[in-house]
Amino acid sequence: MTKTKFDEIEPTGEERLIARYFQPIATHPGAMALSDDAAYLTPPPGCDIVLKTDAIVGGIHFRPNDPPGDVARKALRVNLSDLAAKGARPLGFLLSLALPRDVESGWLAGFAEGLRADAEAFGCPLFGGDTDGTPGPVMISVAMIGSLPTGTMVHRAGASPGDRIFVSGTIGDAALGLALASGRGEHWPIDAAARAFLRSRHHLPRPRTALAEAIRAHASASIDVSDGLIGDVAKLCRVARVAARVEIEAVPISDAARAVLASESGVLESLLVGGEDFEIVCTVPPDRGAAFEAAARTAGVPVREIGRIEAGSGVRFVKRDGEALAVREASFSHF
């Protein structure tokens, strides 16, 4: 049997995949061009490191025919949304990929290009990660690394009675977009532009990174709306051991969602419990509300006051007549 010389050993398929598609995104010196088993990062002076990881799975968070670049961007953005809710800015990320063995080079090229574009746009280079084969669907896990001035991270647990509740953007668009993508809602009396808008809100999140500084400066508690507004407000209240009253009429709803709601009132529950809005809901002390709104305007992010934190326990979403909305399930859950 002929023996192979060490200097003739070719890189493995995994090494070639990493070098071709992901090495160009690893622009930070600490990534060492993905040539090592680990990376290094020196925290900015006077800063804490904030860590976050989230995964997206084919068939659950995205569809096989979704553009691969958008799949990559969604994987990055759902993590950026959590950093924003903590008041942190991104420094970089680790990427773990589980791919079928027959994954096409065109899919990988599109995925890497989408990842590169958002890594550049949000200032978060790739530091490393892992690639694995899988007999199942594609799975993408991002571990995001962020930073903020020492001791300033905004927790879920900081809400106090009297705090004002604010939410960014509009709520419920992603749930309606998912319904359209799943073949439901074709009877809704909305035009093509509205349908495209709702689909895009489900398809590609818009993390509120520009709001991070305002949250850090003024909010007492914060969480991103990934599992539905009702459920996420409830999570914030449970950990702080407080209650909340939210005025449903005050919840910001897009024109497209409002048109759907006008034709089908039963959609209201979906707007409030559907996940993947990736907006920010935060609590702000009464004397900081005006400053928070001003800072949000400066950042170019729309925010609206929707309720108050109260003493006690439980969350009430109240209709115009004062009746509390009853829902079957308050939040999305994988289990």
Side-chain angles (χ1 to χ4, degrees), residues 218-299:
H218 303 292
S220 56
S222 181
I223 185 173
D224 82 326
V225 185
S226 55
D227 294 329
L229 182 63
I230 292 179
D232 287 323
V233 170
K235 292 174 189 176
L236 188 150
C237 288
R238 277 197 297 271
V239 71
R241 297 183 180 179
V242 294
R245 177 189 171 100
V246 174
E247 306 294 335
I248 293 175
E249 287 290 322
V251 174
I253 297 174
S254 68
D255 290 342
R258 198 170 294 282
V260 174
L261 183 59
S263 68
E264 193 172 320
S265 60
V267 166
L268 178 62
E269 182 176 333
S270 297
L271 299 181
L272 298 176
V273 305
E276 299 204 321
D277 284 313
F278 296 105
E279 296 292 351
I280 305 294
V281 62
C282 62
T283 62
V284 178
D287 61 346
R288 305 301 296 272
F292 174 70
E293 290 178 291
R297 281 195 299 273
T298 299

Side-chain angles (χ1 to χ4, degrees), residues 63 173-186 188 199 202:
R63 287 170 167 68
D173 298 321
L176 299 183
L178 175 60
L180 288 171
S182 303
R184 306 188 304 275
E186 293 304 319
W188 292 339
R199 286 193 178 99
H202 163 68

Side-chain angles (χ1 to χ4, degrees), residues 9-289:
I9 296 176
E10 296 292 329
T12 65
E14 183 178 6
E15 289 174 310
R16 290 194 298 271
L17 184 153
I18 292 169
R20 179 176 179 181
Y21 297 110
F22 301 112
Q23 196 176 74
I25 309 171
T27 56
H28 191 282
M32 296 176 287
L34 306 186
S35 63
D36 211 318
D37 292 326
Y40 66 87
L41 174 65
T42 303
C47 285
D48 290 336
I49 293 295
V50 180
L51 307 175
K52 169 62 189 175
T53 185
D54 246 331
I56 63 173
V57 180
I60 297 175
H61 302 96
F62 63 92
R63 287 170 167 68
N65 60 348
D66 285 349
D70 286 355
V71 173
R73 294 162 75 192
K74 183 170 188 176
L76 208 59
R77 292 181 182 202
V78 301
N79 286 276
L80 286 165
S81 179
D82 277 300
L83 279 195
K86 301 300 100 187
R89 68 180 183 90
L91 295 177
F93 68 101
L94 301 171
L95 172 72
S96 293
L97 272 177
L99 300 167
R101 287 188 173 273
D102 61 354
V103 64
E104 297 179 355
S105 60
W107 191 95
L108 277 169
F111 180 91
E113 174 54 28
L115 198 67
R116 183 207 61 77
D118 262 16
E120 190 173 288
F122 290 101
C124 54
L126 175 66
F127 275 87
D130 187 36
T131 53
D132 290 294
T134 177
V138 173
M139 190 279 290
I140 305 136
S141 179
V142 167
M144 185 66 67
I145 306 160
S147 72
L148 41 65
T150 300
T152 64
M153 190 176 94
V154 182
H155 301 266
R156 288 186 188 181
S160 299
D163 284 357
R164 301 162 67 180
I165 304 171
F166 287 89
V167 71
S168 67
T170 55
I171 293 298
D173 298 321
L176 299 183
L178 175 60
L180 288 171
S182 303
R184 306 188 304 275
E186 293 304 319
H187 61 288
W188 292 339
I190 55 175
D191 60 21
R195 291 176 186 275
F197 168 77
L198 294 174
R199 286 193 178 99
S200 73
R201 289 278 282 151
H202 163 68
H203 189 65
L204 194 60
R206 303 171 186 177
R208 298 300 189 177
T209 54
L211 196 61
E213 187 173 342
I215 290 169
R216 191 175 68 250
H218 303 292
S220 56
S222 181
I223 185 173
D224 82 326
V225 185
S226 55
D227 294 329
L229 182 63
I230 292 179
D232 287 323
V233 170
K235 292 174 189 176
L236 188 150
C237 288
R238 277 197 297 271
V239 71
R241 297 183 180 179
V242 294
R245 177 189 171 100
V246 174
E247 306 294 335
I248 293 175
E249 287 290 322
V251 174
I253 297 174
S254 68
D255 290 342
R258 198 170 294 282
V260 174
L261 183 59
S263 68
E264 193 172 320
S265 60
V267 166
L268 178 62
E269 182 176 333
S270 297
L271 299 181
L272 298 176
V273 305
E276 299 204 321
D277 284 313
F278 296 105
E279 296 292 351
I280 305 294
V281 62
C282 62
T283 62
V284 178
D287 61 346
R288 305 301 296 272

